[in-house]
């Protein structure tokens, strides 16, 4: 009896120790502004010191220990030879195992193709399966990388409006957009910027539509580890989807490794050959050290990622509550991702004007939902701003205080 009690107590202490250690990773003091101001080139390093950047989806936390160790090991060994086409065998094995276990796609290492990030994988996919003048259907709003990838292939973007209130896809409307030049359907699930998981029935309808018209599906699932409520369904896990889906996964969002430029495509052999044709390893080689870091992430950093998710949930709840308390601001609670996409159209200004105003008055940088010169999320993003919350509670709370004060003088 005593032994049992000691075991239970030991277990509780172990859990508490682990919990407090993982909390330390994401505590207020864990955000090292001294390092970020030198190294976070898309956020802290590019803006004046007094600005809080809630712009790029690039976490403010240092990567998990096993990832740092992997990079150190590679540096100590000092051998930086060419990597093989498609990725190192060890990386491909680790990725295949992760995808089988976490995404429910029955793949092997032969189905993995390493890329320098998901953005590059998107561009390769568009170039592999579209000819100039072909059409790709993408959602509106959605991350600008989809449109850019279609442009890079010389393709034409065809927008399918997403209901911004519910995030639902208009399946009937989508069907009406398919024409003789349609080649590709672009899925973003979980959805950036709406933070919604595409539902199984929606995916089913899209897979059926793709099968009816012989389309390739580019399924960007880079956000699929950041899920607070509900279950992510991988498009390629649906019956009939495997042979026409290129699934894209990455490391930037889950493991804070954006600068290591790593991602991978998962696909059936004929599709993978298409990728190989447009992106042979000698022109698009993937950094071997990044793959070692990626392998460490997949094999050893899941506890870190789970603790990160717990932290994000707390910041999300705080941010949504605060934003909903601000007059004229309407915001969906994201069930996935760390992006917020508040509707600020009631202020009677454009997204760009609002972003400029918040930068000048609140010293908080956000991304305009749409813009004349450059649109981050497509025409459907007008009236919105995007804010990320992959930072500490203290920084997020401070940013929200500033936004609230600036908005109160605007209204
Ligand atoms: C939907 C989506 N795809 C791709 C990317 C870029 O991925 P990576 O950093 O792996 O190139 C992002 C980054 O925000 C994204 O939101």
């Amino acid at each position: 009896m005593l032994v049992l009690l000691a075991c239970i107590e030991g277990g509780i202490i172990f859990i508490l120790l682990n919990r407090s250690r993982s909390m330390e990773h994401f505590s207020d003091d864990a955000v090292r502004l001294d390092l970020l101001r030198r190294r976070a080139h898309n956020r802290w390093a590019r803006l004046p010191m007094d600005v809080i950047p809630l712009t790029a989806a690039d976490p403010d936390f240092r990567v998990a220990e096993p990832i740092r160790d992997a990079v150190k090991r590679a540096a100590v060994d000092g051998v930086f030879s060419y990597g093989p086409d498609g990725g190192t065998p060890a990386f491909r094995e680790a990725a295949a195992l992760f995808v089988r276990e976490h995404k429910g796609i029955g793949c092997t290492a032969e189905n993995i193709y390493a890329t320098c990030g998901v953005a590059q994988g998107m561009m390769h996919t568009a170039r592999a399966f579209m000819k100039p003048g072909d059409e790709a259907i993408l959602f509106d709003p959605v991350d600008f990388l989809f449109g850019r990838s279609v442009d890079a292939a010389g393709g034409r973007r065809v927008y399918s409006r997403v209901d911004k209130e519910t995030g639902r896809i208009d399946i009937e409307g989508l069907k009406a957009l398919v024409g003789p030049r349609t080649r590709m359907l672009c899925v973003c699930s979980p959805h950036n910027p709406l933070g919604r998981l595409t539902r199984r029935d929606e995916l089913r309808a899209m897979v059926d539509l793709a099968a009816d018209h012989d389309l390739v599906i580019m399924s960007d699932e880079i956000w699929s580890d950041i899920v607070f409520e509900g279950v992510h369904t991988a498009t390629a896990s649906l019956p009939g989807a495997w042979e026409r889906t290129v699934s894209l996964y990455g490391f930037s969002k889950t493991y804070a490794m954006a600068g290591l430029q790593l991602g991978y495509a998962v696909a059936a052999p004929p599709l993978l050959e298409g990728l190989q044709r447009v992106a042979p390893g000698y022109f698009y080689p993937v950094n071997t050290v990044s793959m070692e870091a990626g392998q460490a992430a997949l094999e050893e950093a899941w506890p870190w990622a789970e603790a990160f998710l717990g932290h994000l949930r707390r910041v999300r709840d705080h941010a949504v509550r605060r934003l909903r308390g601000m007059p004229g601001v309407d915001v969906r609670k994201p069930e996935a991702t760390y992006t917020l996409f508040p509707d600020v159209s009631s202020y009677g200004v454009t997204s760009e004007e609002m972003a400029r105003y918040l930068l000048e008055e609140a010293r908080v940088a956000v991304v305009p939902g749409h813009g004349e010169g450059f649109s981050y999320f497509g025409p459907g993003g007008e009236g919105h701003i995007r804010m990320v919350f992959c930072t500490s509670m203290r920084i997020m709370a401070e940013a929200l205080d500033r936004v609230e004060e600036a908005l109160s003088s605007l209204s």
Side-chain angles (χ1 to χ4, degrees), residues 57 116-120 122 143 145-146 188 192 220 222-223 250-253 258 261-262:
C116 299
V118 169
Q120 192 193 67
M122 296 166 82
D143 191 89
L145 290 170
F146 288 90
C188 182
N192 171 13
D220 177 344
I222 191 172
W223 286 101
F251 296 85
S252 313
K253 312 304 161 198
Q261 294 298 144
L262 184 66

Side-chain angles (χ1 to χ4, degrees), residues 51-277:
V51 173
I52 299 179
L54 302 183
T55 46
D58 191 5
D60 283 347
F61 301 99
R62 300 167 83 203
V63 300
E65 209 76 52
I67 300 172
R68 275 185 254 170
D69 289 344
V71 175
K72 277 185 227 161
R73 271 196 307 274
V76 169
D77 282 353
V79 175
F80 300 115
S81 300
Y82 285 119
D85 209 17
T88 58
F91 174 73
R92 294 172 88 184
E93 284 291 349
L97 179 64
F98 183 81
V99 170
R100 279 199 304 275
E101 286 185 352
H102 290 256
K103 314 297 170 192
I105 302 174
C107 63
T108 69
E110 278 71 54
N111 302 119
I112 306 292
Y113 201 74
T115 60
C116 299
V118 169
Q120 192 193 67
M122 296 166 82
M123 192 186 68
H124 290 336
T125 307
R127 285 175 54 235
F129 304 108
M130 296 180 72
K131 290 194 294 297
D134 284 348
E135 293 174 0
I137 300 179
L138 46 140
F139 295 107
D140 179 28
V142 81
D143 191 89
F144 77 99
L145 290 170
F146 288 90
R148 280 298 170 103
S149 307
V150 173
D151 296 351
R156 215 170 71 76
R157 311 174 184 193
V158 177
Y159 284 117
S160 173
R161 273 290 168 112
V162 174
D163 183 330
K164 286 187 289 180
E165 291 285 305
T166 63
R168 269 198 82 81
I169 292 162
D170 172 11
I171 296 294
E172 289 313 310
L174 190 65
K175 287 180 184 166
L177 296 175
V178 178
R181 299 294 315 251
T182 312
R183 288 289 169 271
M184 200 168 77
L185 199 52
C186 303
V187 174
C188 182
S189 183
H191 185 279
N192 171 13
L194 295 177
R196 177 180 180 267
L197 295 159
T198 309
R199 301 296 189 261
R200 205 179 172 84
D201 64 306
E202 295 169 307
L203 291 173
R204 182 70 266 161
M206 286 192 274
V207 170
D208 290 344
L209 187 65
D212 290 347
H213 298 273
D214 197 21
L215 311 178
V216 168
I217 300 174
M218 172 160 82
S219 192
D220 177 344
E221 299 175 23
I222 191 172
W223 286 101
S224 59
D225 300 325
I226 312 289
V227 176
F228 305 110
E229 286 101 27
V231 178
H232 166 74
T233 303
T235 308
S237 70
L238 293 187
W242 171 243
E243 51 276 6
R244 58 182 64 260
T245 304
V246 178
S247 310
L248 299 168
Y249 296 104
F251 296 85
S252 313
K253 312 304 161 198
T254 313
Y255 300 106
M257 282 170 49
L260 287 175
Q261 294 298 144
L262 184 66
Y264 54 99
V266 187
L271 297 175
L272 222 56
E273 280 157 25
L275 291 179
Q276 239 147 1
R277 235 184 352 265

